[in-house]
Amino acid sequence: MDISYGTDYERFRAEVRSFLAKHAVDAPSNQRDYRSAKAVAWQRKLLELGYTSRTVPKRYGGYGAEPDILISRILADEFAAAKATAGFGGQGIAMLIPTLLELGTEEQRQSIIPPTLLGEMLWCQGYSEPNAGSDLASLKTNAYLDGDEWVINGSKIWTSSAHIADWMFCLVRTEPDAPKHDGISFLLFSMDTPGIEVRPLVDMTENKYFNEVFFTDVRVPAGQIVGKRGQGWQVANTILGHERELLGDPNAALTRLNGVIDLMRTETIDGRRVIDMPVFRDRLMRIQGRVMAMRFNDLRLLSAKLNQQSAPLARMIVKLQGTELRHELEKLAIDVMGEFGLGYDDNEYLRGEGLWQWNYMFYLGLIIGGGTSQIQKNIISERGLGMPKEPKVAPTAGAM
Amino acid sequence: MDFGLSSDQVALQDSVDRYLNERVGLDQIRLFADGSDYREIWQGLTDLGVTSLLLPEDQGGIGLTLLDAALVAEILGRYVAPSPFIGSAVIAPQALQHVDDTIAAPYLSRLVDGGITAGIAFSELAGRRGDAGVQAIGNKLSGKSLFVLDPLAELQLVAATDGALYLVEAGAPGLQQLVHTTIDRTRISGELRYDNTPATPVTDDADTVAGLLDAARVMLVADTLGAAQHMLDAAVAYAKERKQFDRVVGSFQAVKHLCAEMTAELEPCRAMMWYAAYALDELPEEASITASQAKAHISEVGTFVARTATEVHGGIGFTDLLGLHYWFKRIGFNRQALGAPESLREQAAVLQGL
């Protein structure tokens, strides 16, 4: 066991750190800003240095480096420590580009990857439907081929960023007679295509990140498919696992934990600091213990990936534990603030820009989204522990 | 960068596992619980080399790390094996490094071959309870230590109230060695009473003593990890076999989700135990905080797994038939011994300047 990174990697870390010490002021303050001149200039700079989308080949606008998880980790750690946005994220960059690099055609890669990296092509993900949430593979939005075009009808829900996205990658049923997992295809299309209607959904944080999207005879060129007909489920699954790992980010949890400690040092009740109150101290230390356990679990996963070892259970529990932990952590901060913790939006007594309240609710959304905690427990027990599935219930007469 | 076990470490765990699997079944646990001693088990473990793990090579040992010792402790917990491991194989070999060689060497060679064992009387370091208290005047001890691990061992490492550490030999004048019944019948614990009992000073260096306490705590953490993993494995296996309503009970989400929750809580504890053990040797500035937090957190998870795994077994889990309660009680013992979660969390807060 040796948890040091070694001198070559530490040299890289020093480079990144000195870049950030000089240039972090050039980073846009809003992580979801893909459009301002400042945000685009920052993204171009990071792409040029290989500090973001580092492994995307040069011919598609990336840096062309070999995958190196220690480099990725150093970049994540240092940008987090400097509180600087680590380049564009979003579903196009995090999910679609890796998918195209693996399964896309050369033409798709050339036309899609470069503008996506520069924020000129923003993506949304059309997966969930009103009746296909946890049981995503039962989705019903359908497409049939008419000449050299797909014709899409149906609707999607929980579609983040659909109201600002330029394009969508979407799961649709193209083989109605095939078993449910084998009848899905993965299509790409512009959100400007006639027949698409986007209706924002206001969530409990009062934000409009999610949308409902309706398709009425939406016509899409036949070539805008990734993988073959009926292979969409496998295409989507190459990246879903990636999303689940992101949701448990222990670096973010550590940053927030340090924020709670600061808050407990400054908030007072009857003039007494909250950090000096035993009940609050114990809650803080309990959460710290859990954050530590998840950080070490993450270190184990990093090492396992690096050394080609497997730790399937350690990986499967990350989404469940990570999101539940963050929800608890943000809740502690609200209890530390008491009535101040009720303030929202433009309240003049907001602490930390009201992010505690916002995250507390947002993480409840993440507990539910991306595979609910209950689905996670099914995955852990069935795939991880080899426990039998629930027996299928025979459809009752008249229900079908 | 390698935060995982080496092939040697896996082999070490396998060898201890094989021995205990063959030699320490439930029958032996029951015999021990009824009062037989652990000499034979301990001799077998000694023959495997567990007492020379930590000893430097120039002293005839293997010169391994506290992580290796913790990995052995994990297997002992898996089999709820009765043994004086923590005192004899972990604390004494380190403590004796601070004692003059002419005194230490004979003790060490007999510890290594299993001729003697060592107990630890650390109640003064980990939250003094009741009327415990050990006064040291001119290398003579008076008073008493409570919650001593292996109080009948030939060699005792005793913490005095002032924080200094002493060696006391069984049979020393004025020493009484008493065993007290606890819920955990896989361990021997009790108290030592001293009346002007001659003692050999080991060290009064606070960091050294704290390091030994941290090491003992991490061994208990590893023991809990092994015991809890056994209980989880047993619960999953039972839920795959037991049928009710014409289905194995493990197909009910109410049952399988309990197993998933245990897994989700316990799996990160493995990495946490590794890190806490690694920190003892390699990361001195983090070692105490990590040991405290690991013992607090893994004790909480252990308690959760112990009760939930019992529950998954249904009524049979509550009976003596499967002996599951030995694991439940071992986890309970480890939780309270050398500092319970609330005290440890407070200590962790203080160590961070909070």
Side-chain angles (χ1 to χ4, degrees):
Chain A
M1 195 168 280
D2 173 12
I3 61 166
S4 67
Y5 281 32
T7 48
D8 288 351
Y9 286 105
E10 290 308 332
R11 196 174 306 126
F12 178 74
R13 185 191 299 280
E15 272 171 44
V16 177
R17 202 172 278 181
S18 86
F19 166 79
L20 286 167
K22 270 187 223 131
H23 299 287
V25 289
D26 299 332
S29 56
N30 182 351
Q31 201 162 2
R32 292 170 187 266
D33 174 5
Y34 300 100
R35 303 292 202 203
S36 73
K38 188 176 189 182
V40 174
W42 180 247
Q43 174 73 359
R44 282 185 184 278
K45 185 81 190 155
L46 299 188
L47 285 169
E48 180 195 317
L49 292 167
Y51 289 174
T52 195
S53 295
R54 183 178 173 87
T55 58
V56 173
K58 280 202 161 129
R59 63 184 182 280
Y60 306 131
Y63 187 76
E66 287 299 308
D68 185 328
I69 53 175
L70 292 185
I71 292 279
S72 310
R73 178 55 57 96
I74 288 168
L75 287 166
D77 287 350
E78 294 305 317
F79 276 76
K83 296 192 174 72
T85 305
F88 292 166
Q91 286 162 328
I93 287 176
M95 301 181 77
L96 183 64
I97 289 180
T99 306
L100 290 179
L101 286 173
E102 206 162 312
L103 301 165
T105 64
E106 184 56 30
E107 195 198 336
Q108 285 168 342
R109 292 175 189 168
Q110 284 180 11
S111 61
I112 292 171
I113 297 176
T116 299
L117 285 177
L118 293 173
E120 292 159 6
M121 204 174 186
L122 286 187
W123 288 84
C124 61
Q125 176 203 64
Y127 282 11
S128 295
E129 297 181 6
N131 291 313
S134 292
D135 183 13
L136 181 61
S138 70
L139 59 90
K140 292 208 165 54
T141 294
N142 67 84
Y144 61 89
L145 265 186
D146 179 28
D148 57 359
E149 286 179 329
W150 292 105
V151 182
I152 307 171
N153 282 283
S155 69
K156 296 287 174 183
I157 194 168
W158 315 123
T159 319
S160 313
S161 306
H163 56 301
I164 53 166
D166 305 299
W167 279 64
M168 173 183 277
F169 56 97
C170 187
L171 292 179
V172 296
R173 187 159 302 283
T174 53
E175 327 299 319
D177 301 327
K180 68 178 182 181
H181 291 92
D182 300 330
I184 297 169
S185 296
F186 191 103
L187 301 186
L188 314 171
F189 47 83
S190 164
M191 291 298 282
D192 293 333
T193 317
I196 298 178
E197 188 198 343
V198 177
R199 289 186 208 152
L201 278 174
V202 180
D203 66 40
M204 67 190 292
T205 71
E206 300 181 6
N207 278 313
K208 293 179 197 166
Y209 289 130
F210 302 118
N211 301 273
E212 293 177 280
V213 184
F214 299 88
F215 308 100
T216 312
D217 292 332
V218 175
R219 303 186 81 89
V220 171
Q224 291 179 190
I225 181 171
V226 181
K228 295 203 174 76
R229 282 181 70 146
Q231 286 184 346
W233 185 253
Q234 289 85 325
V235 174
N237 268 301
T238 49
I239 44 187
L240 260 188
H242 190 63
E243 181 183 39
R244 278 178 192 152
E245 274 177 49
L246 286 176
L247 292 173
D249 186 353
N251 263 328
L254 184 62
T255 307
R256 296 302 280 166
L257 180 78
N258 289 332
V260 182
I261 293 173
D262 291 343
L263 195 64
M264 288 175 68
R265 283 179 155 140
T266 50
E267 292 301 319
T268 58
I269 302 174
D270 291 333
R272 195 171 159 217
R273 298 190 316 162
V274 173
I275 193 71
D276 296 328
M277 299 181 175
V279 173
F280 279 106
R281 283 166 80 80
D282 194 64
R283 273 184 71 184
L284 174 71
M285 286 297 108
R286 265 175 186 267
I287 293 206
Q288 183 181 56
R290 293 168 60 190
V291 170
M292 288 169 82
M294 289 310 289
R295 274 181 57 223
F296 303 143
N297 190 66
D298 176 73
L299 191 60
R300 180 182 173 199
L301 290 174
L302 178 75
S303 170
K305 212 179 239 183
L306 192 65
N307 301 303
Q308 276 101 46
Q309 290 155 348
S310 74
L313 287 172
R315 184 169 39 75
M316 270 180 215
I317 58 105
V318 167
K319 196 270 174 181
L320 173 66
Q321 294 299 88
T323 53
E324 299 280 355
L325 175 56
R326 278 297 296 280
H327 185 63
E328 284 293 309
L329 198 164
E330 308 287 333
K331 183 170 84 180
L332 169 59
I334 292 171
D335 288 342
V336 165
M337 294 183 286
E339 290 94 329
F340 283 138
L342 300 171
Y344 208 59
D345 209 358
D346 60 355
N347 186 307
E348 65 176 294
Y349 291 103
L350 279 190
R351 269 61 171 156
E353 298 173 357
L355 264 180
W356 301 108
Q357 295 87 315
W358 190 85
N359 271 321
Y360 172 60
M361 293 186 277
F362 185 70
Y363 266 84
L364 181 53
L366 290 183
I367 284 169
I368 298 166
T372 65
S373 285
Q374 286 65 40
I375 289 292
Q376 299 303 319
K377 289 175 192 174
N378 281 356
I379 292 172
I380 294 164
S381 53
E382 290 169 11
R383 291 188 211 160
L385 302 174
M387 301 181 84
K389 286 179 177 294
E390 288 277 307
K392 296 264 186 279
V393 179
T396 42
M400 293 295 282
Chain B
M1 167 72 198
D2 180 12
F3 184 63
L5 303 184
S6 68
S7 54
D8 284 350
Q9 286 168 331
V10 173
L12 171 66
Q13 285 200 310
D14 285 348
S15 74
V16 178
D17 188 284
R18 262 198 312 278
Y19 169 72
L20 295 176
N21 191 36
E22 276 169 27
R23 305 295 295 277
V24 188
L26 194 54
D27 293 346
Q28 280 70 36
I29 302 297
R30 292 192 195 283
L31 284 176
F32 184 80
D34 287 342
S36 73
D37 69 31
Y38 49 45
R39 288 281 159 193
E40 199 186 324
I41 298 171
W42 187 238
Q43 194 57 56
L45 288 166
T46 301
D47 294 345
L48 285 176
V50 303
T51 46
S52 43
L53 278 186
L54 289 178
L55 213 56
E57 286 176 88
D58 60 14
Q59 295 174 27
I62 314 177
L64 294 180
T65 66
L66 283 161
L67 173 61
D68 298 284
L71 294 171
V72 172
E74 181 190 345
I75 308 298
L76 295 173
R78 178 184 294 172
Y79 289 91
V80 289
S83 84
F85 176 76
I86 298 179
S88 312
V90 180
I91 302 304
Q94 293 183 86
L96 285 166
Q97 304 299 318
H98 301 275
V99 177
D100 188 88
D101 197 43
T102 54
I103 298 171
Y107 284 138
L108 281 171
S109 68
R110 292 173 63 208
L111 279 169
V112 165
D113 68 22
I116 61 170
T117 58
I120 53 174
F122 281 5
S123 59
E124 297 306 292
L125 303 176
R128 186 171 53 253
R129 297 273 182 169
D131 60 349
V134 182
Q135 288 72 49
I137 299 165
N139 294 340
K140 295 222 165 130
L141 304 183
S142 294
K144 71 174 173 186
S145 303
L146 287 172
F147 321 123
V148 178
L149 276 175
D150 299 301
L152 301 183
E154 290 82 357
L155 197 61
Q156 295 293 332
L157 286 144
V158 178
T161 305
D162 65 10
L165 204 60
Y166 293 86
L167 268 183
V168 177
E169 273 194 333
L175 177 70
Q176 290 182 67
Q177 298 170 278
L178 306 169
V179 173
H180 295 315
T181 306
T182 72
I183 57 156
D184 180 10
R185 293 186 185 270
T186 69
R187 283 231 174 79
I188 302 175
S189 70
E191 73 175 86
L192 297 178
R193 292 185 192 164
Y194 323 95
D195 181 8
N196 265 320
T197 301
T200 307
V202 175
T203 177
D204 58 3
D205 177 65
D207 288 342
T208 304
V209 175
L212 291 171
L213 177 62
D214 289 339
R217 284 174 168 167
V218 171
M219 297 305 137
L220 289 170
V221 164
D223 195 275
T224 290
L225 178 72
Q229 186 66 55
H230 170 84
M231 290 194 84
L232 169 56
D233 294 346
V236 170
Y238 185 80
K240 286 179 184 175
E241 274 180 18
R242 166 80 175 164
K243 280 194 172 172
Q244 289 284 277
F245 306 103
D246 300 323
R247 291 161 60 177
V248 292
V249 298
S251 68
F252 290 102
Q253 289 192 342
V255 175
K256 77 169 75 159
H257 282 194
L258 292 178
C259 295
E261 286 162 14
M262 288 190 272
T263 304
E265 291 294 334
L266 191 59
E267 196 59 28
C269 291
R270 183 166 305 281
M272 191 180 208
M273 184 280 270
W274 292 352
Y275 194 94
Y278 176 77
L280 293 171
D281 281 317
E282 301 292 336
L283 309 167
E285 68 287 358
E286 290 179 50
S288 276
I289 293 170
T290 316
S292 304
Q293 278 287 26
K295 186 164 190 295
H297 179 71
I298 296 173
S299 295
E300 300 283 15
V301 172
T303 305
F304 167 69
V305 170
R307 75 81 90 188
T308 307
T310 304
E311 199 176 348
V312 167
H313 280 80
I316 208 87
F318 183 68
T319 70
D320 181 49
L321 287 169
L322 299 178
L324 207 61
H325 61 93
Y326 289 115
W327 281 262
F328 181 100
K329 292 164 181 172
R330 178 105 158 193
I331 291 168
F333 185 98
N334 292 345
R335 177 184 172 103
Q336 303 302 336
L338 300 182
E342 283 75 12
S343 316
L344 292 164
R345 286 193 287 265
E346 178 55 28
Q347 185 187 332
V350 170
L351 285 167
Q352 292 170 74
L354 299 177

